[in-house]
Amino acid sequence: MNKKVGISGNYAVAYAVKMADVDMIAAYPITPQTTIVEKLSEFVANGELDASYMNVESEHSAISACIGASLTGARVFTATSSQGLALMHEILFMASALRTPIVMANVNRALSAPLNIWNDHSDAMAQRDSGWIQLWARSAQESFDDTIEAFKIAEETRLPVMVNLDGYIVSHMYEPVELPDEEDVRKFIPSRPLENRVSIKNAHAVGVVGPPEYYYEMKYQAIDAIERSRHKVKEIENDFNRRFGKNYREIEAYGMEDAEAALILMGSIFGSAKEIANDLRGKGRKVGVVSLRVFRPFPAQELREALDGVKAVGVVDRATTPGGSGNPLYTEIATALYGMPERPAIQGFVAGLGGRDMREDDFRLMYSATEKAAREGAGRCIYVGLRE
Amino acid sequence: MKCVRTTLKGWREIPEGGTITEPGSSVNFDVTAWRTSSPLIDQNKCTKCGLCFLYCPDSAIEIDVDGNYHVNLSYCKGCGICAKECAPKAITMVKEGH
């Protein structure tokens, strides 16, 4: 029977990892992720989870150990944030190219400098080309659900999956979370031995040199894998919804049935954006909001369908691409919408960097600026709340 | 799309993640894809002196049962030393990918 508990987003991830019955956890503490691996160490120490718990000397080693363990066919997990994810950078590309189904929770935190432990999306956005599937949770419940889904997606596509949750706002907020029966979770993700690619009986050489004659083809395999993962993600999400009574989609929309101006965003700010949209809609303004739950593979087709008939979209970036033609989410959206016959105006926003609070007024400003873009066309990127 | 190395496996055939699944696979390894030109031996001009065979730094010149010289393109890097050293000028370098 389902059980409702009051836990933080980080604990929700830890409970999901425990229910997924992982074989190996490589851990290195970093704020605000630490309480995930802390809770998992408790589970392992008191015998609730039969897993090998490996304390490593850095995040670089954590992800490397995960690749090694994953190659033996083990179900593995690690978690990190910000600088830790950045330190993993070079190994992340190997995890996807070597097709190791690792699940990692990334508790989103700003990148230095200046040193900042608070929430934005610059860590994950800096890894968008690493070939990992990226899920974006917006609550403790979603952190739990996405982590469970992530194991299935990873193992069926043989690609690593990053579950993103906003630092503090999701990771440390205590919320009621419905935990399903462990038995039902096990049925959804059975503990089956994956192929052991490094056993003596079935000896393979992994991590080989790929000279110009082979690199291109090998790289394309990883590109093809994540392209093909699109339908797998959808299928697994539908299966999850059916089994656990949820209604998750790659993108979630609010007020989009008649919206003329819509915000597009990721992560926990969806709640605030919905509240303000609701308020403005009550006053007769045709605004809506779209939230992306999956960033890789990018749900371009679903987005075009959701935005059909919209006059302007406002893209809320919580990361920057200094010197680029637009910030990370903006450029993805602009590329996705470019081919639409009646393309909406696209207004860029940067907001909530380094944990800067996003208040009601910030959302009202963004809705108004997007409505203005619908009338007059989009202007330059607006840095919301920046002091002059 | 023109593929100059049709003998190499395509992305669908290469084991996932570039894993090597069988021993001794290096014999199938093409080490010459960066070659920009390859030697063409004119058998009518060739005097079978063997200079190309001696000078080739990659042992890419092979002799058949009739004593004729041939280039093994699996090893030839296209350096052109054979053409340079060939006394009767029987070897010409032909550009790749044209």
Side-chain angles (χ1 to χ4, degrees), chain A residues 138 252-254 265-275 289-291 363:
Chain A
R138 301 166 301 192
E252 195 179 310
Y254 177 78
L265 44 80
M266 295 197 298
S268 58
I269 57 169
F270 184 53
S272 308
K274 245 181 358 185
E275 281 290 317
V289 54
V290 172
S291 143
F363 288 96

Side-chain angles (χ1 to χ4, degrees), chain A residues 35 88 92 142 168 216 228 231 261 268 278 294 296 303 354:
Chain A
T35 54
M88 288 180 179
L92 295 180
E142 279 190 34
Y168 300 109
Y216 194 12
R228 277 189 293 120
H231 79 272
S268 58
N278 183 42
V294 181
R296 286 284 184 272
L303 198 63

Side-chain angles (χ1 to χ4, degrees), chain A residues 190-202:
Chain A
S191 302
R192 59 185 157 83
L194 298 162
E195 185 198 6
N196 183 347
R197 287 152 69 186
V198 288
S199 74
I200 300 295
K201 281 185 192 154
N202 185 24

Side-chain angles (χ1 to χ4, degrees), chain A residues 51-127:
Chain A
S52 153
Y53 191 92
M54 194 171 174
N55 285 302
V56 287
E57 72 276 32
S58 76
E59 289 85 354
H60 191 279
S61 305
I63 191 69
S64 300
C66 282
I67 291 180
S70 183
L71 287 170
T72 70
R75 182 175 281 171
V76 303
F77 174 82
T78 188
T80 194
S81 286
S82 180
Q83 306 304 123
L85 187 66
L87 186 56
M88 288 180 179
H89 180 72
E90 60 165 339
I91 312 296
L92 295 180
F93 288 69
M94 298 180 200
S96 60
L98 294 176
R99 308 295 299 281
T100 48
I102 297 163
V103 172
M104 169 163 65
N106 178 46
V107 182
N108 302 108
R109 165 188 149 182
L111 284 172
S112 295
L115 195 151
N116 179 295
I117 59 166
W118 293 270
N119 169 233
D120 73 22
H121 296 166
S122 49
D123 53 1
M125 287 298 104
Q127 309 303 340

Side-chain angles (χ1 to χ4, degrees), chain A residues 173-337:
Chain A
M173 178 81 81
Y174 277 67
E175 291 182 271
V177 174
E178 204 172 24
L179 300 177
D181 241 16
E182 197 150 331
E183 227 171 84
D184 293 336
V185 172
R186 294 286 171 79
K187 272 185 208 149
F188 181 64
I189 35 171
S191 302
R192 59 185 157 83
L194 298 162
E195 185 198 6
N196 183 347
R197 287 152 69 186
V198 288
S199 74
I200 300 295
K201 281 185 192 154
N202 185 24
H204 289 181
V206 183
V208 296
V209 172
E213 299 78 41
Y214 285 99
Y215 179 88
Y216 194 12
E217 279 71 22
M218 290 174 179
K219 189 79 195 168
Y220 188 76
Q221 290 180 331
I223 297 167
D224 174 67
I226 199 159
E227 271 306 321
R228 277 189 293 120
S229 77
R230 284 177 196 284
H231 79 272
K232 241 346 185 207
V233 171
K234 210 179 283 267
E235 192 185 299
I236 290 168
E237 209 151 51
N238 286 339
D239 187 19
F240 185 89
N241 290 341
R242 227 179 1 256
R243 285 168 188 260
F244 300 101
K246 308 285 168 157
N247 191 27
Y248 293 131
R249 295 278 175 272
E250 291 97 321
I251 64 172
E252 195 179 310
Y254 177 78
M256 292 306 293
E257 54 282 357
D258 64 350
E260 290 178 359
L263 291 185
I264 305 177
L265 44 80
M266 295 197 298
S268 58
I269 57 169
F270 184 53
S272 308
K274 245 181 358 185
E275 281 290 317
I276 307 302
N278 183 42
D279 180 44
L280 296 176
R281 288 174 67 80
K283 291 168 183 153
R285 284 163 66 179
K286 291 188 171 172
V287 295
V289 54
V290 172
S291 143
L292 273 71
R293 291 190 70 251
V294 181
F295 181 71
R296 286 284 184 272
F298 195 79
Q301 183 57 37
E302 291 77 5
L303 198 63
R304 283 191 287 267
E305 283 163 18
L307 295 175
D308 190 35
V310 170
K311 289 183 181 152
V313 299
V315 182
V316 189
D317 262 293
R318 302 199 58 209
T320 58
T321 303
S325 64
N327 293 307
L329 191 56
Y330 176 94
T331 51
E332 293 285 340
I333 305 283
T335 307
L337 304 189

Side-chain angles (χ1 to χ4, degrees), chain A residues 337-352:
Chain A
L337 304 189
Y338 187 75
M340 283 176 79
E342 285 177 44
R343 184 168 68 237
I346 309 170
Q347 175 63 49
F349 299 104
V350 168

